Amino acid sequence: MKKAETPPPFIAFPHRHLLGIEGLSPPEITALLDRSEIYVEQNREADKKRARLVGRTVINLFFESSTRTRTSFELAAQRLGGDVINMSVMTSSVKKGETLIDTAMTLNAMHPDVLVVRHGDSGATQLLSEKVNCAVINAGDGSHEHPTQALLDALTIRRRLGRLQGLQVAICGDILHSRVARSNIHLLGTMGARVRLIAPKSLLPCGIERMGVEVFHDMKDGLKDCDIVMMLRLQSERMRGNFFPSTREYFRFFGLDYDKLANAKPDALIMHPGPMNRGVEIDSEVADDIGRSVIREQVEMGVAVRMACLEALSVNLAKAEGRA
Ligand code: CP
């Protein structure tokens, strides 16, 4: 099997932390996506390891559950030759009442290079980045941002359709609680795509139109001629009270089935960040549609994107240390 060439040094991401997509420029986003492309190919080879993170320590600090993000950050760090520690909050001193800052500063005292943080509060990762000495990557903070998810979504779209510019993307479902939606709105808007949001009024934040999106409350209207249909889970863990009478009613009006999908372009891609609730926001057959669903590809892209992000921040650390 042909071995991928060692990629050239990464120079185009001049940030100490990755806390959100908001504020990133088109060239910075493009640099991360281009770099991720290299790692997609490398991850398909028998020899997946590259020595880009040797000597670096990455700590995954997840205060909320995760399958895709935590595992792919771990794989990403390992494939780049870094040391990686997974902190389980369930068995940590958080359970004894230790605060977020005390936990982070305890880890900071062990000299990690990158903290990958998921937390239920919007702004938690920003707060930590102001306290610790290492780089911080936001792996999802409350309903604020999930930057690496938007990057992997963009990579999936770009590889399938060859561009982001000019595409019509519909993001459907629980926008109110979705950090994935917010990061995608920033990224897609920055890269020249048009974004529609489709949701019941109770699941849309007030004033969301100010982010430059079109808002629809009817799936058939909103999906008309879309290139991409991105479905979101109802985040019941963030809801106080009922936002919709029942999940059956929700599926009837806002669940993606073939009948509603027929309004999008015939070759529209179906996306979902996961985890899915089949039969609530998406019909099981639609989710598994071999020709149109790219949900598993999104997961694959996640490892490559996280490798590119870890590499970008470690290059900046080396520069700050006078080693690059
Ligand atoms: N999309 C996503 O963040 O999935 P996990 O919660 O499994 O990490």
Side-chain angles (χ1 to χ4, degrees), residues 226-281:
C226 280
D227 298 288
I228 309 288
V229 184
M230 194 180 285
M231 300 307 298
L232 299 174
R233 180 176 67 88
L234 284 174
Q235 298 197 23
S236 48
E237 72 274 23
R238 300 191 205 287
M239 295 180 188
R240 286 186 209 94
N242 289 332
F243 281 74
F244 217 78
S246 71
T247 51
R248 238 173 87 182
E249 283 287 283
Y250 183 83
F251 181 76
R252 201 172 132 222
F253 290 102
F254 293 98
L256 186 67
D257 54 18
Y258 279 114
D259 186 39
K260 298 186 191 89
L261 185 60
N263 294 278
K265 285 190 179 163
D267 53 355
L269 299 180
I270 300 156
M271 303 182 74
H272 194 306
M276 280 183 280
N277 283 143
R278 293 170 184 261
V280 178
E281 75 273 8

Short mmCIF file of all heavy atoms in Angstrom, two decimals, residues 226-281:
data_model
loop_
_atom_site.label_atom_id
_atom_site.label_comp_id
_atom_site.label_asym_id
_atom_site.label_seq_id
_atom_site.Cartn_x
_atom_site.Cartn_y
_atom_site.Cartn_z
N CYS A 226 -33.18 22.35 -1.49
CA CYS A 226 -31.95 22.36 -0.68
C CYS A 226 -30.94 21.33 -1.19
O CYS A 226 -31.31 20.28 -1.68
CB CYS A 226 -32.27 22.04 0.79
SG CYS A 226 -32.90 23.48 1.62
N ASP A 227 -29.65 21.68 -1.04
CA ASP A 227 -28.57 20.75 -1.39
C ASP A 227 -28.23 19.82 -0.23
O ASP A 227 -27.74 18.71 -0.43
CB ASP A 227 -27.29 21.54 -1.74
CG ASP A 227 -27.49 22.44 -2.94
OD1 ASP A 227 -27.58 21.92 -4.05
OD2 ASP A 227 -27.58 23.68 -2.74
N ILE A 228 -28.42 20.34 0.98
CA ILE A 228 -28.03 19.61 2.20
C ILE A 228 -29.19 19.68 3.20
O ILE A 228 -29.73 20.77 3.43
CB ILE A 228 -26.81 20.28 2.89
CG1 ILE A 228 -25.66 20.52 1.92
CG2 ILE A 228 -26.39 19.51 4.14
CD1 ILE A 228 -24.92 19.31 1.49
N VAL A 229 -29.51 18.54 3.80
CA VAL A 229 -30.51 18.51 4.87
C VAL A 229 -29.82 18.01 6.13
O VAL A 229 -29.41 16.85 6.20
CB VAL A 229 -31.70 17.58 4.51
CG1 VAL A 229 -32.76 17.65 5.61
CG2 VAL A 229 -32.28 17.94 3.15
N MET A 230 -29.66 18.90 7.09
CA MET A 230 -28.94 18.56 8.32
C MET A 230 -29.95 18.45 9.45
O MET A 230 -30.58 19.44 9.81
CB MET A 230 -27.92 19.67 8.60
CG MET A 230 -26.87 19.33 9.62
SD MET A 230 -25.74 20.73 9.86
CE MET A 230 -24.73 20.69 8.38
N MET A 231 -30.12 17.25 9.99
CA MET A 231 -31.12 17.03 11.04
C MET A 231 -30.47 17.12 12.43
O MET A 231 -29.32 16.73 12.61
CB MET A 231 -31.79 15.65 10.87
CG MET A 231 -32.49 15.46 9.54
SD MET A 231 -33.69 16.76 9.17
CE MET A 231 -34.86 16.58 10.52
N LEU A 232 -31.25 17.60 13.40
CA LEU A 232 -30.74 17.72 14.78
C LEU A 232 -31.63 16.95 15.73
O LEU A 232 -32.85 16.91 15.56
CB LEU A 232 -30.71 19.19 15.21
CG LEU A 232 -29.84 20.14 14.39
CD1 LEU A 232 -30.06 21.57 14.88
CD2 LEU A 232 -28.37 19.76 14.50
N ARG A 233 -31.02 16.41 16.77
CA ARG A 233 -31.74 15.70 17.83
C ARG A 233 -32.47 16.69 18.74
O ARG A 233 -32.00 17.81 18.95
CB ARG A 233 -30.68 14.93 18.64
CG ARG A 233 -31.15 14.12 19.79
CD ARG A 233 -29.95 13.38 20.39
NE ARG A 233 -28.99 14.26 21.02
CZ ARG A 233 -29.03 14.67 22.29
NH1 ARG A 233 -30.01 14.27 23.09
NH2 ARG A 233 -28.11 15.46 22.78
N LEU A 234 -33.61 16.26 19.29
CA LEU A 234 -34.25 17.03 20.36
C LEU A 234 -33.40 16.86 21.62
O LEU A 234 -33.26 15.74 22.11
CB LEU A 234 -35.66 16.50 20.63
CG LEU A 234 -36.76 16.84 19.65
CD1 LEU A 234 -38.04 16.11 20.03
CD2 LEU A 234 -37.01 18.34 19.59
N GLN A 235 -32.84 17.94 22.13
CA GLN A 235 -31.93 17.82 23.28
C GLN A 235 -32.72 17.90 24.59
O GLN A 235 -32.69 18.92 25.29
CB GLN A 235 -30.85 18.89 23.21
CG GLN A 235 -30.01 18.72 21.95
CD GLN A 235 -28.69 19.44 21.99
OE1 GLN A 235 -28.16 19.76 23.05
NE2 GLN A 235 -28.15 19.70 20.83
N SER A 236 -33.40 16.81 24.89
CA SER A 236 -34.30 16.81 26.05
C SER A 236 -33.54 17.08 27.35
O SER A 236 -34.11 17.61 28.31
CB SER A 236 -35.08 15.49 26.13
OG SER A 236 -34.18 14.43 25.99
N GLU A 237 -32.24 16.74 27.37
CA GLU A 237 -31.46 16.98 28.60
C GLU A 237 -31.30 18.47 28.89
O GLU A 237 -30.95 18.85 30.01
CB GLU A 237 -30.09 16.28 28.51
CG GLU A 237 -29.07 16.90 27.56
CD GLU A 237 -29.20 16.40 26.11
OE1 GLU A 237 -30.29 15.93 25.73
OE2 GLU A 237 -28.21 16.49 25.36
N ARG A 238 -31.53 19.33 27.90
CA ARG A 238 -31.43 20.78 28.13
C ARG A 238 -32.81 21.44 28.24
O ARG A 238 -32.89 22.67 28.33
CB ARG A 238 -30.66 21.45 26.98
CG ARG A 238 -29.26 20.92 26.81
CD ARG A 238 -28.43 21.77 25.87
NE ARG A 238 -27.37 20.96 25.29
CZ ARG A 238 -26.29 20.54 25.95
NH1 ARG A 238 -26.10 20.90 27.21
NH2 ARG A 238 -25.38 19.78 25.36
N MET A 239 -33.87 20.66 28.18
CA MET A 239 -35.22 21.25 28.17
C MET A 239 -35.83 21.20 29.56
O MET A 239 -35.75 20.18 30.24
CB MET A 239 -36.13 20.46 27.22
CG MET A 239 -35.72 20.54 25.77
SD MET A 239 -36.86 19.60 24.75
CE MET A 239 -36.03 19.66 23.17
N ARG A 240 -36.43 22.33 29.92
CA ARG A 240 -37.26 22.33 31.12
C ARG A 240 -38.69 22.46 30.64
O ARG A 240 -39.05 23.44 30.02
CB ARG A 240 -36.89 23.49 32.04
CG ARG A 240 -35.58 23.25 32.75
CD ARG A 240 -35.25 24.33 33.77
NE ARG A 240 -33.79 24.46 33.88
CZ ARG A 240 -33.07 25.33 33.19
NH1 ARG A 240 -33.66 26.20 32.40
NH2 ARG A 240 -31.76 25.37 33.31
N GLY A 241 -39.49 21.43 30.85
CA GLY A 241 -40.87 21.45 30.35
C GLY A 241 -40.93 20.89 28.94
O GLY A 241 -39.93 20.48 28.37
N ASN A 242 -42.14 20.88 28.38
CA ASN A 242 -42.34 20.30 27.05
C ASN A 242 -42.23 21.36 25.96
O ASN A 242 -42.83 22.41 26.07
CB ASN A 242 -43.73 19.65 26.95
CG ASN A 242 -43.78 18.39 27.78
OD1 ASN A 242 -42.77 17.74 27.97
ND2 ASN A 242 -44.95 18.07 28.27
N PHE A 243 -41.46 21.06 24.93
CA PHE A 243 -41.34 21.97 23.80
C PHE A 243 -42.22 21.52 22.64
O PHE A 243 -42.39 22.24 21.68
CB PHE A 243 -39.87 22.06 23.35
CG PHE A 243 -39.05 22.95 24.23
CD1 PHE A 243 -38.67 22.53 25.49
CD2 PHE A 243 -38.70 24.22 23.82
CE1 PHE A 243 -37.93 23.36 26.31
CE2 PHE A 243 -37.96 25.05 24.62
CZ PHE A 243 -37.57 24.62 25.89
N PHE A 244 -42.76 20.32 22.75
CA PHE A 244 -43.67 19.81 21.73
C PHE A 244 -44.57 18.78 22.40
O PHE A 244 -44.13 18.10 23.33
CB PHE A 244 -42.86 19.16 20.58
CG PHE A 244 -43.46 19.41 19.25
CD1 PHE A 244 -43.29 20.64 18.61
CD2 PHE A 244 -44.24 18.45 18.62
CE1 PHE A 244 -43.86 20.89 17.37
CE2 PHE A 244 -44.82 18.70 17.39
CZ PHE A 244 -44.63 19.93 16.77
N PRO A 245 -45.85 18.66 21.95
CA PRO A 245 -46.80 17.79 22.67
C PRO A 245 -46.29 16.36 22.84
O PRO A 245 -46.38 15.80 23.92
CB PRO A 245 -48.05 17.84 21.79
CG PRO A 245 -47.94 19.11 21.02
CD PRO A 245 -46.48 19.39 20.85
N SER A 246 -45.74 15.75 21.79
CA SER A 246 -45.23 14.38 21.92
C SER A 246 -44.21 14.14 20.81
O SER A 246 -44.20 14.85 19.79
CB SER A 246 -46.37 13.36 21.78
OG SER A 246 -46.80 13.33 20.43
N THR A 247 -43.36 13.12 20.98
CA THR A 247 -42.37 12.83 19.94
C THR A 247 -43.06 12.34 18.67
O THR A 247 -42.56 12.54 17.57
CB THR A 247 -41.33 11.80 20.43
OG1 THR A 247 -42.01 10.68 20.97
CG2 THR A 247 -40.41 12.39 21.47
N ARG A 248 -44.23 11.69 18.83
CA ARG A 248 -44.97 11.24 17.63
C ARG A 248 -45.45 12.43 16.80
O ARG A 248 -45.30 12.47 15.58
CB ARG A 248 -46.17 10.40 18.06
CG ARG A 248 -46.12 9.01 17.45
CD ARG A 248 -47.17 8.13 17.99
NE ARG A 248 -48.41 8.26 17.24
CZ ARG A 248 -49.51 7.61 17.54
NH1 ARG A 248 -49.55 6.83 18.60
NH2 ARG A 248 -50.60 7.75 16.81
N GLU A 249 -46.00 13.43 17.51
CA GLU A 249 -46.42 14.66 16.83
C GLU A 249 -45.21 15.35 16.21
O GLU A 249 -45.28 15.88 15.10
CB GLU A 249 -47.06 15.63 17.83
CG GLU A 249 -48.47 15.28 18.23
CD GLU A 249 -49.44 15.58 17.10
OE1 GLU A 249 -49.76 16.76 16.89
OE2 GLU A 249 -49.86 14.63 16.43
N TYR A 250 -44.12 15.37 16.94
CA TYR A 250 -42.91 16.03 16.45
C TYR A 250 -42.46 15.39 15.13
O TYR A 250 -42.18 16.07 14.15
CB TYR A 250 -41.78 15.96 17.49
CG TYR A 250 -40.54 16.69 17.04
CD1 TYR A 250 -40.43 18.07 17.21
CD2 TYR A 250 -39.49 16.02 16.41
CE1 TYR A 250 -39.31 18.76 16.76
CE2 TYR A 250 -38.38 16.69 15.96
CZ TYR A 250 -38.29 18.06 16.14
OH TYR A 250 -37.19 18.75 15.69
N PHE A 251 -42.43 14.05 15.11
CA PHE A 251 -42.00 13.37 13.89
C PHE A 251 -42.94 13.70 12.73
O PHE A 251 -42.50 13.90 11.59
CB PHE A 251 -41.94 11.85 14.09
CG PHE A 251 -41.47 11.13 12.86
CD1 PHE A 251 -40.14 11.13 12.50
CD2 PHE A 251 -42.37 10.49 12.01
CE1 PHE A 251 -39.70 10.50 11.33
CE2 PHE A 251 -41.95 9.87 10.85
CZ PHE A 251 -40.60 9.87 10.51
N ARG A 252 -44.25 13.77 13.04
CA ARG A 252 -45.22 14.05 11.96
C ARG A 252 -44.91 15.38 11.28
O ARG A 252 -44.93 15.49 10.06
CB ARG A 252 -46.64 14.07 12.57
CG ARG A 252 -47.70 13.85 11.54
CD ARG A 252 -49.06 13.69 12.18
NE ARG A 252 -50.00 14.53 11.49
CZ ARG A 252 -50.93 15.27 12.03
NH1 ARG A 252 -51.08 15.28 13.35
NH2 ARG A 252 -51.72 16.00 11.30
N PHE A 253 -44.57 16.39 12.06
CA PHE A 253 -44.36 17.73 11.49
C PHE A 253 -42.90 18.01 11.13
O PHE A 253 -42.63 18.69 10.14
CB PHE A 253 -44.86 18.79 12.47
CG PHE A 253 -46.36 18.81 12.58
CD1 PHE A 253 -47.00 18.22 13.67
CD2 PHE A 253 -47.14 19.37 11.57
CE1 PHE A 253 -48.38 18.21 13.75
CE2 PHE A 253 -48.52 19.37 11.65
CZ PHE A 253 -49.15 18.78 12.75
N PHE A 254 -41.97 17.52 11.94
CA PHE A 254 -40.56 17.92 11.76
C PHE A 254 -39.59 16.75 11.55
O PHE A 254 -38.40 16.97 11.35
CB PHE A 254 -40.11 18.78 12.94
CG PHE A 254 -40.80 20.11 12.98
CD1 PHE A 254 -41.91 20.31 13.79
CD2 PHE A 254 -40.40 21.15 12.16
CE1 PHE A 254 -42.59 21.51 13.80
CE2 PHE A 254 -41.07 22.36 12.15
CZ PHE A 254 -42.17 22.55 12.97
N GLY A 255 -40.10 15.52 11.60
CA GLY A 255 -39.22 14.37 11.36
C GLY A 255 -38.94 14.24 9.86
O GLY A 255 -39.84 14.45 9.03
N LEU A 256 -37.71 13.86 9.50
CA LEU A 256 -37.37 13.73 8.08
C LEU A 256 -37.76 12.33 7.60
O LEU A 256 -37.21 11.32 8.07
CB LEU A 256 -35.87 13.95 7.86
CG LEU A 256 -35.44 13.98 6.39
CD1 LEU A 256 -36.02 15.20 5.66
CD2 LEU A 256 -33.91 13.96 6.26
N ASP A 257 -38.73 12.29 6.68
CA ASP A 257 -39.09 11.04 6.01
C ASP A 257 -38.98 11.28 4.50
O ASP A 257 -38.70 12.41 4.06
CB ASP A 257 -40.49 10.56 6.42
CG ASP A 257 -41.56 11.63 6.20
OD1 ASP A 257 -41.28 12.60 5.44
OD2 ASP A 257 -42.65 11.51 6.78
N TYR A 258 -39.21 10.25 3.71
CA TYR A 258 -39.04 10.40 2.25
C TYR A 258 -40.04 11.39 1.66
O TYR A 258 -39.76 12.06 0.67
CB TYR A 258 -39.12 9.04 1.56
CG TYR A 258 -37.82 8.28 1.65
CD1 TYR A 258 -37.74 7.10 2.38
CD2 TYR A 258 -36.67 8.75 1.03
CE1 TYR A 258 -36.54 6.40 2.47
CE2 TYR A 258 -35.46 8.07 1.12
CZ TYR A 258 -35.40 6.90 1.84
OH TYR A 258 -34.21 6.22 1.94
N ASP A 259 -41.21 11.48 2.27
CA ASP A 259 -42.23 12.41 1.77
C ASP A 259 -41.74 13.86 1.86
O ASP A 259 -41.79 14.62 0.89
CB ASP A 259 -43.51 12.19 2.59
CG ASP A 259 -44.66 13.00 2.03
OD1 ASP A 259 -44.76 13.09 0.79
OD2 ASP A 259 -45.44 13.56 2.84
N LYS A 260 -41.20 14.22 3.01
CA LYS A 260 -40.70 15.60 3.18
C LYS A 260 -39.41 15.79 2.36
O LYS A 260 -39.21 16.84 1.74
CB LYS A 260 -40.44 15.91 4.66
CG LYS A 260 -41.70 15.84 5.53
CD LYS A 260 -41.39 16.30 6.94
CE LYS A 260 -42.52 15.98 7.90
NZ LYS A 260 -42.43 14.64 8.53
N LEU A 261 -38.56 14.78 2.36
CA LEU A 261 -37.29 14.87 1.65
C LEU A 261 -37.48 15.11 0.14
O LEU A 261 -36.63 15.71 -0.51
CB LEU A 261 -36.48 13.58 1.88
CG LEU A 261 -35.06 13.52 1.33
CD1 LEU A 261 -34.17 14.62 1.91
CD2 LEU A 261 -34.45 12.14 1.60
N ALA A 262 -38.61 14.69 -0.37
CA ALA A 262 -38.88 14.84 -1.82
C ALA A 262 -38.88 16.32 -2.23
O ALA A 262 -38.75 16.63 -3.43
CB ALA A 262 -40.23 14.21 -2.16
N ASN A 263 -38.99 17.23 -1.27
CA ASN A 263 -38.98 18.67 -1.60
C ASN A 263 -37.56 19.21 -1.81
O ASN A 263 -37.38 20.26 -2.42
CB ASN A 263 -39.66 19.46 -0.50
CG ASN A 263 -41.13 19.13 -0.42
OD1 ASN A 263 -41.93 19.65 -1.18
ND2 ASN A 263 -41.47 18.19 0.45
N ALA A 264 -36.59 18.51 -1.27
CA ALA A 264 -35.19 18.95 -1.46
C ALA A 264 -34.75 18.53 -2.86
O ALA A 264 -35.48 17.85 -3.58
CB ALA A 264 -34.30 18.30 -0.40
N LYS A 265 -33.53 18.91 -3.25
CA LYS A 265 -33.01 18.46 -4.55
C LYS A 265 -32.93 16.94 -4.57
O LYS A 265 -32.69 16.31 -3.52
CB LYS A 265 -31.62 19.07 -4.79
CG LYS A 265 -31.68 20.54 -5.15
CD LYS A 265 -30.32 21.03 -5.60
CE LYS A 265 -30.40 22.50 -6.00
NZ LYS A 265 -29.09 23.14 -6.07
N PRO A 266 -33.09 16.31 -5.73
CA PRO A 266 -33.14 14.84 -5.79
C PRO A 266 -31.88 14.18 -5.22
O PRO A 266 -31.94 13.09 -4.68
CB PRO A 266 -33.28 14.53 -7.28
CG PRO A 266 -33.76 15.79 -7.90
CD PRO A 266 -33.31 16.94 -7.04
N ASP A 267 -30.73 14.87 -5.33
CA ASP A 267 -29.49 14.27 -4.81
C ASP A 267 -29.02 14.96 -3.52
O ASP A 267 -27.83 14.89 -3.15
CB ASP A 267 -28.39 14.36 -5.87
CG ASP A 267 -28.21 15.79 -6.40
OD1 ASP A 267 -29.02 16.67 -5.98
OD2 ASP A 267 -27.28 16.03 -7.19
N ALA A 268 -29.95 15.59 -2.80
CA ALA A 268 -29.58 16.29 -1.55
C ALA A 268 -28.96 15.31 -0.56
O ALA A 268 -29.42 14.17 -0.42
CB ALA A 268 -30.81 16.95 -0.93
N LEU A 269 -27.91 15.77 0.13
CA LEU A 269 -27.24 14.93 1.14
C LEU A 269 -27.99 15.01 2.46
O LEU A 269 -28.47 16.09 2.86
CB LEU A 269 -25.80 15.39 1.35
CG LEU A 269 -24.87 15.34 0.15
CD1 LEU A 269 -23.48 15.83 0.56
CD2 LEU A 269 -24.78 13.93 -0.42
N ILE A 270 -28.05 13.89 3.17
CA ILE A 270 -28.70 13.84 4.49
C ILE A 270 -27.59 13.76 5.54
O ILE A 270 -26.73 12.87 5.48
CB ILE A 270 -29.60 12.59 4.60
CG1 ILE A 270 -30.68 12.63 3.52
CG2 ILE A 270 -30.22 12.49 6.00
CD1 ILE A 270 -31.22 11.25 3.16
N MET A 271 -27.64 14.69 6.50
CA MET A 271 -26.61 14.73 7.54
C MET A 271 -27.24 14.73 8.93
O MET A 271 -28.40 15.14 9.10
CB MET A 271 -25.73 15.99 7.37
CG MET A 271 -25.08 16.09 6.01
SD MET A 271 -24.01 17.53 5.81
CE MET A 271 -22.60 17.07 6.79
N HIS A 272 -26.47 14.28 9.89
CA HIS A 272 -26.90 14.30 11.30
C HIS A 272 -25.63 14.21 12.15
O HIS A 272 -24.80 13.34 11.92
CB HIS A 272 -27.83 13.11 11.58
CG HIS A 272 -28.58 13.22 12.87
ND1 HIS A 272 -27.97 13.44 14.09
CD2 HIS A 272 -29.91 13.14 13.14
CE1 HIS A 272 -28.90 13.50 15.04
NE2 HIS A 272 -30.08 13.33 14.49
N PRO A 273 -25.45 15.12 13.13
CA PRO A 273 -24.21 15.07 13.92
C PRO A 273 -24.16 13.88 14.86
O PRO A 273 -23.09 13.50 15.34
CB PRO A 273 -24.25 16.38 14.72
CG PRO A 273 -25.71 16.73 14.80
CD PRO A 273 -26.32 16.23 13.53
N GLY A 274 -25.33 13.25 15.14
CA GLY A 274 -25.40 12.17 16.11
C GLY A 274 -25.32 12.73 17.53
O GLY A 274 -24.85 13.85 17.72
N PRO A 275 -25.79 11.98 18.51
CA PRO A 275 -26.50 10.71 18.35
C PRO A 275 -27.91 10.92 17.80
O PRO A 275 -28.51 11.97 18.06
CB PRO A 275 -26.54 10.14 19.78
CG PRO A 275 -26.45 11.35 20.67
CD PRO A 275 -25.64 12.35 19.93
N MET A 276 -28.40 9.93 17.04
CA MET A 276 -29.73 10.05 16.43
C MET A 276 -30.80 9.45 17.33
O MET A 276 -30.53 8.46 18.02
CB MET A 276 -29.78 9.23 15.13
CG MET A 276 -29.17 9.87 13.95
SD MET A 276 -29.41 8.80 12.50
CE MET A 276 -28.11 7.59 12.70
N ASN A 277 -31.97 10.02 17.25
CA ASN A 277 -33.15 9.36 17.81
C ASN A 277 -34.01 8.98 16.62
O ASN A 277 -34.80 9.79 16.10
CB ASN A 277 -33.90 10.28 18.78
CG ASN A 277 -33.21 10.36 20.14
OD1 ASN A 277 -33.20 11.40 20.76
ND2 ASN A 277 -32.63 9.27 20.59
N ARG A 278 -33.84 7.74 16.16
CA ARG A 278 -34.58 7.26 14.99
C ARG A 278 -36.08 7.27 15.30
O ARG A 278 -36.49 6.88 16.39
CB ARG A 278 -34.13 5.84 14.63
CG ARG A 278 -32.71 5.77 14.12
CD ARG A 278 -32.23 4.34 14.03
NE ARG A 278 -30.83 4.27 13.62
CZ ARG A 278 -30.43 4.05 12.38
NH1 ARG A 278 -31.30 3.83 11.42
NH2 ARG A 278 -29.14 4.01 12.08
N GLY A 279 -36.84 7.73 14.32
CA GLY A 279 -38.29 7.77 14.50
C GLY A 279 -38.77 9.01 15.25
O GLY A 279 -39.96 9.20 15.45
N VAL A 280 -37.82 9.87 15.68
CA VAL A 280 -38.21 11.15 16.33
C VAL A 280 -37.88 12.30 15.37
O VAL A 280 -38.77 12.97 14.89
CB VAL A 280 -37.51 11.33 17.69
CG1 VAL A 280 -37.90 12.68 18.30
CG2 VAL A 280 -37.88 10.20 18.64
N GLU A 281 -36.57 12.50 15.07
CA GLU A 281 -36.22 13.58 14.13
C GLU A 281 -35.89 13.02 12.74
O GLU A 281 -35.78 13.79 11.79
CB GLU A 281 -35.07 14.46 14.65
CG GLU A 281 -33.69 13.85 14.59
CD GLU A 281 -33.37 13.02 15.82
OE1 GLU A 281 -34.27 12.80 16.63
OE2 GLU A 281 -32.20 12.58 15.95
#
